[in-house]
């Protein structure tokens, strides 16, 4: 961030080297002008996201550039950002994972409270590091950023979600599928979502679900582009018989091959993130986390029907129709309503409706009038 402050400049009407005033006779001397001096200070990711929406994209762009220069250091900055967003103002230490440690390292992963120091310790694997987070006990049930009161912290939550989504949108064509970035992020988020401390679990679950939303949006766009390129190539191949558009054919062929492997790589990331974050958390004891999971699942099905409009994913909505919390049931109903509004998606819900028809019909007499109406 650039901070501006004012300094006193030399007076233009001051004394010259000879001691005489250098302003013209009969005119009053000019007042000293103030000049601005720019001082640049480096901000953390957390501070840039907290500044406001305008700085979120800058924060992501600068982080991507730093990742290309030194990915290990950049990943540690990203991990520190997510931990700080969880409300942990303590220390995060990282030691490199040694391959000869084997399976024994899993048994060293722990989360406990040390009565002597008054600190919580969480140790987990976020390849290629073993991370240790320490924070005071009082933070377990106190304030943390994404649930803070007032307009500032409400905006921070919006900016936090935008940051996680931009992280995907600005890297999907470069470093997203490098086999290192998302592996580390998935390990980190799965470690945090399995925490017994609510602030860690809540914040990391929100981040993981928003990442999945961005991945689904990006991959659907890639799949649509691939189908369009293939269709244009097939149409143009017919006109090729007449000897036209040879150069255009070559461009279409190149574009067709660009879309060849990218969707599969992102699908693998989606599956890994889904299994390691959504599946353990969609039945969380906290209704707030269950609401996040079901709300985002509805978005994934709409954004990326090629993958998520399938009974393997629809079943989670059916199961959560029985949830005791009205907000969770409402998210499920709204997700289904959006699917039934489109003929293309409604035609694929036959098996789902056959299995959950009885429950859906019974919800017309739900205790909540809003759910009954929907």
């Amino acid at each position: 961030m650039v901070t501006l402050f004012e300094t006193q400049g030399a007076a233009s009407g001051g004394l010259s080297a000879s001691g005489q005033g250098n302003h013209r006779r009969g005119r009053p001397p000019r007042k000293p002008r103030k000049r601005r001096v720019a001082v640049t200070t480096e901000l953390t990711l957390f501070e840039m996201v907290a500044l406001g929406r305008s700085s979120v994209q800058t924060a992501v762009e600068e982080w991507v550039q730093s990742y290309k220069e030194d990915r290990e250091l950049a990943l540690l900055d990203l991990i520190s950002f997510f931990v700080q967003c969880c409300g942990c103002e303590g220390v995060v230490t990282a030691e490199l994972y040694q391959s000869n440690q084997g399976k024994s390292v899993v048994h060293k992963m722990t989360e406990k409270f040390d009565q002597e120091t008054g600190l919580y310790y969480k140790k987990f694997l976020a390849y290629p590091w073993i991370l240790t987070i320490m924070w005071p006990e009082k933070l377990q049930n106190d304030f943390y950023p994404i649930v803070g009161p007032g307009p500032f912290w409400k905006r921070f939550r919006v900016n936090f979600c935008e940051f996680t989504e931009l992280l995907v949108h600005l890297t999907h064509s470069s470093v997203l599928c490098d086999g290192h970035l998302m592996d580390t992020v998935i390990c980190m988020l799965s470690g945090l979502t399995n925490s017994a401390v609510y602030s860690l679990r809540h914040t990391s679950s929100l981040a993981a679900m928003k990442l999945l939303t961005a991945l689904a949006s990006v991959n659907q766009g890639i799949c649509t582009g691939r189908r369009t390129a293939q269709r244009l190539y097939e149409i143009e191949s017919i006109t090729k018989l007449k000897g036209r558009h040879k150069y255009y054919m070559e461009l279409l062929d190149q574009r067709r091959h660009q879309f060849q492997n990218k969707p599969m790589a992102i699908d693998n990331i989606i599956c890994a993130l889904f299994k390691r974050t959504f599946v353990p958390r969609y039945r969380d004891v906290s209704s707030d986390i269950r609401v996040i999971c079901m709300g985002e699942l509805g978005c994934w099905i709409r954004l990326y029907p090629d993958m998520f409009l399938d009974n393997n994913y629809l079943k989670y909505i059916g199961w959560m129709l029985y949830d005791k919390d009205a907000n969770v049931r409402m998210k499920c109903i709204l997700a289904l309503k959006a699917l039934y509004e489109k003929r293309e998606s409604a035609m694929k819900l036959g098996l789902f409706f056959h299995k959950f028809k009885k429950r859906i019909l019974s919800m017309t007499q739900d205790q909540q009038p809003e759910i009954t109406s929907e």
Side-chain angles (χ1 to χ4, degrees):
M1 183 180 72
V2 177
T3 306
L4 298 176
F5 64 90
E6 297 177 340
T7 60
Q8 192 74 21
S12 61
L15 294 176
S16 64
S18 62
Q20 300 295 325
N22 58 12
H23 58 273
R24 294 183 181 180
R25 184 177 298 177
R27 291 186 181 181
R30 293 179 181 176
K31 292 182 179 180
R33 290 190 304 175
K34 295 177 180 180
R35 59 190 178 90
R36 290 183 172 184
V37 180
V39 178
T40 304
T41 57
E42 187 175 351
L43 298 179
T44 64
L45 286 173
F46 183 87
E47 291 168 336
M48 291 192 72
V49 172
L51 278 176
R53 189 173 183 179
S54 59
S55 62
V56 173
Q57 181 156 349
T58 303
V60 178
E61 289 173 349
E62 291 181 356
W63 183 86
V64 172
Q65 184 60 36
S66 67
Y67 179 84
K68 293 177 181 178
E69 296 171 0
D70 187 342
R71 69 182 188 182
E72 307 299 343
L73 184 61
L75 281 172
L76 286 176
D77 286 342
L78 186 64
I79 290 170
S80 297
F81 165 74
F82 281 113
V83 171
Q84 197 171 358
C85 289
C86 292
C88 295
E89 298 178 358
V91 180
V92 180
T93 59
E95 55 180 304
L96 283 175
Y97 171 74
Q98 303 295 331
S99 58
N100 57 9
Q101 289 177 308
K103 295 182 179 179
S104 63
V105 71
V106 178
H107 300 292
K108 297 179 182 179
M109 302 299 101
T110 183
E111 179 175 308
K112 63 181 180 179
F113 173 68
D114 190 329
Q115 294 183 350
E116 294 183 2
T117 61
L119 295 175
Y120 269 98
Y121 290 82
K122 180 171 179 62
K123 190 172 185 179
F124 62 99
L125 179 65
Y127 191 83
W129 301 287
I130 300 173
L131 298 179
T132 304
I133 306 174
M134 296 174 286
W135 68 97
E137 178 190 15
K138 65 178 182 179
L139 291 177
Q140 184 181 16
N141 297 312
D142 286 354
F143 159 86
Y144 55 101
I146 68 167
V147 296
F152 176 83
W153 293 112
K154 289 181 180 178
R155 286 194 300 270
F156 179 87
R157 176 175 173 135
V158 173
N159 295 339
F160 172 77
C161 296
E162 185 176 351
F163 176 89
T164 56
E165 292 180 355
L166 278 175
L167 192 63
V168 173
H169 287 289
L170 296 183
T171 59
H172 80 272
S173 60
S174 55
V175 298
L176 182 69
C177 301
D178 66 353
H180 191 76
L181 170 59
M182 289 308 298
D183 285 354
T184 302
V185 171
I186 291 172
C187 284
M188 173 196 64
L189 291 177
S190 64
L192 293 176
T193 54
N194 288 324
S195 173
V197 179
Y198 179 66
S199 62
L200 270 70
R201 204 167 68 250
H202 186 198
T203 306
S204 56
S205 295
L206 177 62
M209 300 307 116
K210 290 297 181 181
L211 279 175
L212 267 167
T213 300
L215 288 165
S217 176
V218 164
N219 224 25
Q220 182 61 32
I222 293 174
C223 291
T224 302
R226 182 178 60 180
R227 285 195 292 265
T228 302
Q230 180 65 31
R231 187 163 57 250
L232 288 173
Y233 183 85
E234 292 172 355
I235 293 173
E236 201 63 27
S237 63
I238 299 174
T239 62
K240 185 180 178 182
L241 298 174
K242 301 178 182 180
R244 296 182 301 174
H245 308 300
K246 182 177 180 180
Y247 178 69
Y248 187 49
M249 280 287 294
E250 293 177 356
L251 289 178
L252 285 176
D253 191 46
Q254 291 177 4
R255 187 181 178 190
R256 200 170 52 134
H257 284 89
Q258 286 177 354
F259 290 118
Q260 197 69 30
N261 298 320
K262 185 75 73 170
M264 186 177 297
I266 297 180
D267 278 349
N268 292 335
I269 295 173
I270 290 175
C271 290
L273 193 56
F274 182 88
K275 290 178 181 178
R276 298 183 64 175
T277 57
F278 177 89
V279 173
R281 293 278 67 82
Y282 83 98
R283 285 187 181 272
D284 194 274
V285 294
S286 167
S287 61
D288 289 339
I289 294 178
R290 300 200 302 273
V291 166
I292 292 172
C293 290
M294 302 318 298
E296 295 303 315
L297 177 57
C299 290
W300 307 336
I301 297 173
R302 294 195 301 273
L303 288 172
Y304 192 16
D306 288 1
M307 180 177 186
F308 285 102
L309 189 54
D310 182 88
N311 290 307
N312 289 327
Y313 298 99
L314 290 170
K315 65 183 181 183
Y316 294 102
I317 291 180
W319 292 339
M320 299 308 286
L321 289 172
Y322 295 89
D323 195 276
K324 62 182 180 180
D325 189 272
N327 292 323
V328 179
R329 299 197 302 275
M330 176 62 85
K331 288 293 183 182
C332 296
I333 290 296
L334 291 176
L336 292 174
K337 182 181 177 183
L339 295 177
Y340 276 109
E341 286 175 348
K342 294 184 178 181
R343 180 178 176 82
E344 298 81 7
S345 55
M347 294 294 290
K348 298 181 180 180
L349 296 175
L351 182 60
F352 171 86
F353 186 71
H354 176 75
K355 186 173 183 179
F356 294 102
K357 178 176 69 173
K358 184 177 180 180
R359 174 56 183 163
I360 293 173
L361 293 176
S362 70
M363 292 179 73
T364 57
Q365 299 178 356
D366 195 273
Q367 295 178 350
Q368 295 296 325
E370 296 85 1
I371 293 179
T372 299
S373 175
E374 291 296 339

